[in-house]
Amino acid sequence: MDSVVSDATAVSESAVDAPAVAGIPAQPQAGPYEPEPDTEDGAQDWQLDHTRAPIATKIVVAGGFGVGKTTFVRAVSEITPLQTEALMTRASEETDDLTSTPDKLTTTVAMDFGRITLDNDLVLYVFGTPGQERFWFMWDDLVRGAIGAIVLADTRRLTDCFPALDYFESCGLPYIVAVNHFEGTERFDPDDVREALTVSSDVPVVIMDARKRYSVVETLLSTVAHALEATPE
Protein backbone atom coordinates (compact mmCIF):
# COMPACT_ATOMS: atom_id res chain seq x y z
CA MET A 1 0.00 0.00 0.00
CA ASP A 2 2.82 2.38 0.91
CA SER A 3 4.59 1.72 -2.38
CA VAL A 4 1.44 2.59 -4.34
CA VAL A 5 1.10 5.93 -2.53
CA SER A 6 4.78 6.65 -3.03
CA ASP A 7 4.58 5.87 -6.73
CA ALA A 8 1.52 8.09 -7.16
CA THR A 9 3.22 10.95 -5.35
CA ALA A 10 6.34 10.60 -7.44
CA VAL A 11 4.31 10.70 -10.64
CA SER A 12 2.37 13.82 -9.53
CA GLU A 13 5.57 15.66 -8.54
CA SER A 14 7.44 14.80 -11.72
CA ALA A 15 4.51 15.43 -14.10
CA VAL A 16 5.13 19.21 -14.02
CA ASP A 17 8.58 18.96 -15.57
CA ALA A 18 8.36 15.65 -17.44
CA PRO A 19 7.33 15.27 -21.08
CA ALA A 20 4.21 13.35 -22.08
CA VAL A 21 4.18 9.89 -20.52
CA ALA A 22 1.79 7.09 -21.48
CA GLY A 23 -0.42 9.46 -23.47
CA ILE A 24 -0.64 12.12 -20.74
CA PRO A 25 0.50 15.52 -22.06
CA ALA A 26 3.28 17.31 -20.22
CA GLN A 27 2.23 20.00 -17.80
CA PRO A 28 3.83 23.48 -17.97
CA GLN A 29 6.11 24.33 -15.12
CA ALA A 30 4.46 26.70 -12.68
CA GLY A 31 6.26 30.00 -12.20
CA PRO A 32 5.95 32.65 -9.48
CA TYR A 33 2.44 34.05 -8.99
CA GLU A 34 1.77 37.27 -10.86
CA PRO A 35 -1.51 39.13 -10.24
CA GLU A 36 -3.51 39.96 -13.30
CA PRO A 37 -3.44 43.65 -14.23
CA ASP A 38 -6.49 45.74 -13.44
CA THR A 39 -8.74 46.26 -16.44
CA GLU A 40 -11.53 48.35 -14.99
CA ASP A 41 -13.20 50.45 -17.63
CA GLY A 42 -13.09 54.18 -17.05
CA ALA A 43 -10.52 53.99 -14.25
CA GLN A 44 -7.91 56.72 -13.94
CA ASP A 45 -4.20 55.90 -14.33
CA TRP A 46 -3.47 56.64 -10.68
CA GLN A 47 -6.30 54.32 -9.61
CA LEU A 48 -4.65 51.36 -11.37
CA ASP A 49 -1.08 52.14 -10.37
CA HIS A 50 -0.74 51.07 -6.75
CA THR A 51 2.67 52.76 -6.45
CA ARG A 52 1.13 56.21 -6.93
CA ALA A 53 -1.18 58.17 -4.70
CA PRO A 54 -3.23 61.17 -5.86
CA ILE A 55 -3.10 64.55 -4.20
CA ALA A 56 -6.48 64.93 -2.52
CA THR A 57 -7.66 68.44 -1.77
CA LYS A 58 -10.80 69.87 -0.26
CA ILE A 59 -12.89 72.80 -1.50
CA VAL A 60 -15.85 74.29 0.35
CA VAL A 61 -18.79 75.92 -1.44
CA ALA A 62 -20.77 78.38 0.69
CA GLY A 63 -23.34 81.11 0.21
CA GLY A 64 -26.87 82.13 0.99
CA PHE A 65 -30.03 80.06 0.99
CA GLY A 66 -31.05 78.82 -2.48
CA VAL A 67 -28.02 80.28 -4.26
CA GLY A 68 -27.15 77.03 -6.08
CA LYS A 69 -24.66 75.17 -3.89
CA THR A 70 -26.36 71.78 -4.31
CA THR A 71 -26.65 72.33 -8.06
CA PHE A 72 -22.95 73.27 -8.17
CA VAL A 73 -21.84 70.03 -6.52
CA ARG A 74 -24.27 67.89 -8.53
CA ALA A 75 -23.14 69.38 -11.85
CA VAL A 76 -19.46 68.56 -11.40
CA SER A 77 -19.30 65.38 -9.30
CA GLU A 78 -18.01 62.27 -11.08
CA ILE A 79 -19.63 60.11 -8.41
CA THR A 80 -23.21 60.08 -7.20
CA PRO A 81 -23.16 63.11 -4.90
CA LEU A 82 -24.06 62.82 -1.27
CA GLN A 83 -26.96 65.15 -0.58
CA THR A 84 -28.80 65.86 2.65
CA GLU A 85 -31.90 67.42 1.16
CA ALA A 86 -35.06 67.72 3.25
CA LEU A 87 -38.52 68.79 2.17
CA MET A 88 -39.44 72.28 3.23
CA THR A 89 -42.53 72.54 5.41
CA ARG A 90 -44.75 75.31 6.74
CA ALA A 91 -42.68 75.32 9.91
CA SER A 92 -39.88 77.14 8.09
CA GLU A 93 -42.02 79.77 6.40
CA GLU A 94 -41.04 82.48 8.88
CA THR A 95 -37.37 81.50 8.74
CA ASP A 96 -36.60 80.85 5.05
CA ASP A 97 -37.23 83.68 2.60
CA LEU A 98 -38.52 82.17 -0.65
CA THR A 99 -39.20 85.47 -2.38
CA SER A 100 -36.41 84.93 -4.93
CA THR A 101 -36.81 81.14 -5.07
CA PRO A 102 -40.58 80.47 -4.94
CA ASP A 103 -40.22 77.04 -6.61
CA LYS A 104 -37.70 75.70 -4.10
CA LEU A 105 -39.12 72.62 -2.35
CA THR A 106 -36.08 71.20 -0.56
CA THR A 107 -33.16 72.51 1.44
CA THR A 108 -29.74 71.21 2.52
CA VAL A 109 -29.70 70.44 6.24
CA ALA A 110 -26.13 69.17 6.65
CA MET A 111 -23.92 69.22 3.53
CA ASP A 112 -23.47 68.24 -0.09
CA PHE A 113 -20.47 66.17 -1.13
CA GLY A 114 -18.97 65.33 -4.51
CA ARG A 115 -15.65 64.39 -6.09
CA ILE A 116 -13.93 65.38 -9.31
CA THR A 117 -10.56 64.33 -10.78
CA LEU A 118 -8.97 67.39 -12.39
CA ASP A 119 -5.73 65.64 -13.35
CA ASN A 120 -4.18 62.21 -13.03
CA ASP A 121 -2.78 63.17 -9.64
CA LEU A 122 -5.25 65.82 -8.43
CA VAL A 123 -8.59 64.94 -6.88
CA LEU A 124 -10.93 67.56 -5.46
CA TYR A 125 -13.44 66.77 -2.75
CA VAL A 126 -16.18 69.40 -2.93
CA PHE A 127 -18.30 70.14 0.14
CA GLY A 128 -21.39 72.34 -0.03
CA THR A 129 -22.45 74.04 3.19
CA PRO A 130 -26.04 74.54 4.36
CA GLY A 131 -27.28 78.06 3.71
CA GLN A 132 -29.70 78.71 6.56
CA GLU A 133 -28.39 80.37 9.68
CA ARG A 134 -29.69 77.63 11.96
CA PHE A 135 -27.30 75.16 10.28
CA TRP A 136 -24.18 77.33 10.37
CA PHE A 137 -22.78 75.33 13.27
CA MET A 138 -21.76 72.77 10.60
CA TRP A 139 -19.35 75.15 8.91
CA ASP A 140 -16.47 74.72 11.36
CA ASP A 141 -16.35 71.00 10.68
CA LEU A 142 -16.83 71.32 6.93
CA VAL A 143 -13.97 73.80 6.38
CA ARG A 144 -11.46 71.84 8.44
CA GLY A 145 -8.64 70.78 6.11
CA ALA A 146 -9.90 72.77 3.12
CA ILE A 147 -7.39 74.61 0.91
CA GLY A 148 -9.92 77.17 -0.31
CA ALA A 149 -13.55 78.17 -0.56
CA ILE A 150 -16.06 79.43 -3.10
CA VAL A 151 -18.68 81.96 -2.06
CA LEU A 152 -21.66 81.68 -4.40
CA ALA A 153 -23.55 84.92 -4.90
CA ASP A 154 -26.89 85.83 -6.42
CA THR A 155 -26.98 89.43 -7.70
CA ARG A 156 -30.66 89.70 -6.73
CA ARG A 157 -29.71 89.34 -3.06
CA LEU A 158 -26.01 89.98 -2.60
CA THR A 159 -26.40 90.59 1.12
CA ASP A 160 -27.09 86.87 1.61
CA CYS A 161 -23.45 86.03 0.97
CA PHE A 162 -22.04 88.51 3.51
CA PRO A 163 -21.99 85.93 6.36
CA ALA A 164 -19.88 83.56 4.23
CA LEU A 165 -17.49 86.37 3.25
CA ASP A 166 -17.09 87.40 6.89
CA TYR A 167 -16.55 83.80 7.96
CA PHE A 168 -13.74 83.06 5.50
CA GLU A 169 -12.13 86.44 6.13
CA SER A 170 -12.08 85.76 9.86
CA CYS A 171 -10.65 82.24 9.56
CA GLY A 172 -8.10 83.23 6.91
CA LEU A 173 -9.17 80.65 4.32
CA PRO A 174 -8.47 81.75 0.71
CA TYR A 175 -11.72 82.17 -1.22
CA ILE A 176 -13.15 83.44 -4.48
CA VAL A 177 -16.56 84.92 -5.26
CA ALA A 178 -18.57 83.11 -7.94
CA VAL A 179 -21.66 84.91 -9.17
CA ASN A 180 -24.23 82.28 -10.16
CA HIS A 181 -25.99 83.93 -13.08
CA PHE A 182 -29.67 83.03 -13.06
CA GLU A 183 -31.80 83.26 -16.19
CA GLY A 184 -33.80 86.45 -16.47
CA THR A 185 -31.48 88.42 -14.20
CA GLU A 186 -29.25 91.32 -15.15
CA ARG A 187 -25.65 90.42 -15.87
CA PHE A 188 -23.12 92.53 -13.98
CA ASP A 189 -19.42 93.06 -14.53
CA PRO A 190 -17.18 91.29 -11.97
CA ASP A 191 -15.68 94.61 -10.90
CA ASP A 192 -19.15 95.96 -10.11
CA VAL A 193 -19.87 92.89 -7.97
CA ARG A 194 -16.53 93.32 -6.21
CA GLU A 195 -17.35 96.92 -5.37
CA ALA A 196 -20.83 96.02 -4.14
CA LEU A 197 -19.42 93.31 -1.87
CA THR A 198 -16.41 95.44 -0.84
CA VAL A 199 -13.99 92.54 -1.26
CA SER A 200 -10.30 93.22 -1.81
CA SER A 201 -8.76 93.34 -5.27
CA ASP A 202 -6.77 90.15 -4.70
CA VAL A 203 -9.96 88.07 -4.37
CA PRO A 204 -11.02 86.67 -7.78
CA VAL A 205 -14.62 87.35 -8.82
CA VAL A 206 -16.03 85.16 -11.61
CA ILE A 207 -19.37 84.90 -13.38
CA MET A 208 -20.55 81.32 -13.80
CA ASP A 209 -23.52 79.00 -14.20
CA ALA A 210 -23.83 76.34 -11.50
CA ARG A 211 -25.86 74.09 -13.85
CA LYS A 212 -23.06 73.71 -16.40
CA ARG A 213 -20.18 71.37 -15.70
CA TYR A 214 -17.56 73.26 -17.70
CA SER A 215 -18.42 76.48 -15.86
CA VAL A 216 -18.15 74.77 -12.47
CA VAL A 217 -14.81 73.19 -13.43
CA GLU A 218 -13.41 76.59 -14.42
CA THR A 219 -14.55 77.99 -11.07
CA LEU A 220 -12.84 75.15 -9.19
CA LEU A 221 -9.63 75.68 -11.16
CA SER A 222 -9.72 79.38 -10.28
CA THR A 223 -10.13 78.45 -6.62
CA VAL A 224 -7.19 76.04 -6.63
CA ALA A 225 -4.98 78.58 -8.42
CA HIS A 226 -5.92 81.31 -5.93
CA ALA A 227 -5.33 79.00 -2.96
CA LEU A 228 -1.87 78.05 -4.25
CA GLU A 229 -1.06 81.70 -4.82
CA ALA A 230 -2.26 82.75 -1.37
CA THR A 231 -0.62 79.86 0.48
CA PRO A 232 2.18 78.49 -1.76
CA GLU A 233 3.60 76.30 0.99
Side-chain angles (χ1 to χ4, degrees), residues 38-99:
D38 293 324
T39 57
E40 297 184 34
D41 294 336
Q44 301 291 333
D45 293 342
W46 59 264
Q47 292 173 314
L48 302 181
D49 187 349
H50 301 295
T51 65
R52 297 167 56 190
I55 299 174
T57 57
K58 180 180 181 180
I59 299 292
V60 175
V61 184
F65 171 70
V67 76
K69 300 180 293 295
T70 299
T71 302
F72 184 104
V73 175
R74 185 190 303 126
V76 78
S77 181
E78 63 192 14
I79 62 173
T80 301
L82 170 65
Q83 299 175 344
T84 56
E85 293 280 288
L87 288 174
M88 302 185 65
T89 65
R90 293 185 179 276
S92 66
E93 287 181 344
E94 297 181 0
T95 305
D96 301 323
D97 183 8
L98 299 179
T99 304

Side-chain angles (χ1 to χ4, degrees), residues 93-116:
E93 287 181 344
E94 297 181 0
T95 305
D96 301 323
D97 183 8
L98 299 179
T99 304
S100 300
T101 56
D103 298 327
K104 188 172 178 60
L105 301 177
T106 61
T107 183
T108 300
V109 296
M111 68 175 181
D112 298 306
F113 170 76
R115 185 193 72 193
I116 178 175

Side-chain angles (χ1 to χ4, degrees), residues 49-232:
D49 187 349
H50 301 295
T51 65
R52 297 167 56 190
I55 299 174
T57 57
K58 180 180 181 180
I59 299 292
V60 175
V61 184
F65 171 70
V67 76
K69 300 180 293 295
T70 299
T71 302
F72 184 104
V73 175
R74 185 190 303 126
V76 78
S77 181
E78 63 192 14
I79 62 173
T80 301
L82 170 65
Q83 299 175 344
T84 56
E85 293 280 288
L87 288 174
M88 302 185 65
T89 65
R90 293 185 179 276
S92 66
E93 287 181 344
E94 297 181 0
T95 305
D96 301 323
D97 183 8
L98 299 179
T99 304
S100 300
T101 56
D103 298 327
K104 188 172 178 60
L105 301 177
T106 61
T107 183
T108 300
V109 296
M111 68 175 181
D112 298 306
F113 170 76
R115 185 193 72 193
I116 178 175
T117 304
L118 292 181
D119 198 358
N120 285 341
D121 295 318
L122 178 59
V123 178
L124 288 186
Y125 295 108
V126 185
F127 288 79
T129 66
Q132 298 97 315
E133 184 176 356
R134 62 184 183 277
F135 298 125
W136 286 356
F137 67 90
M138 294 284 300
W139 287 25
D140 288 340
D141 290 328
L142 292 177
V143 302
R144 187 174 293 116
I147 65 167
I150 299 169
V151 177
L152 280 185
D154 181 351
T155 54
R156 297 169 298 180
R157 43 199 176 96
L158 282 177
T159 55
D160 288 358
C161 68
F162 283 153
L165 294 174
D166 293 340
Y167 181 87
F168 296 127
E169 286 283 358
S170 64
C171 70
L173 186 67
Y175 69 91
I176 74 168
V177 175
V179 178
N180 187 16
H181 181 63
F182 288 83
E183 292 182 358
T185 61
E186 184 178 355
R187 192 179 185 94
F188 292 91
D189 187 82
D191 289 336
D192 294 334
V193 176
R194 181 192 308 281
E195 182 178 353
L197 295 176
T198 63
V199 296
S200 61
S201 58
D202 62 324
V203 175
V205 177
V206 300
I207 309 296
M208 52 86 65
D209 189 334
R211 300 169 301 176
K212 299 178 179 178
R213 180 181 174 84
Y214 75 89
S215 183
V216 175
V217 170
E218 289 177 352
T219 303
L220 289 171
L221 288 173
S222 297
T223 307
V224 173
H226 178 60
L228 292 176
E229 187 176 300
T231 55

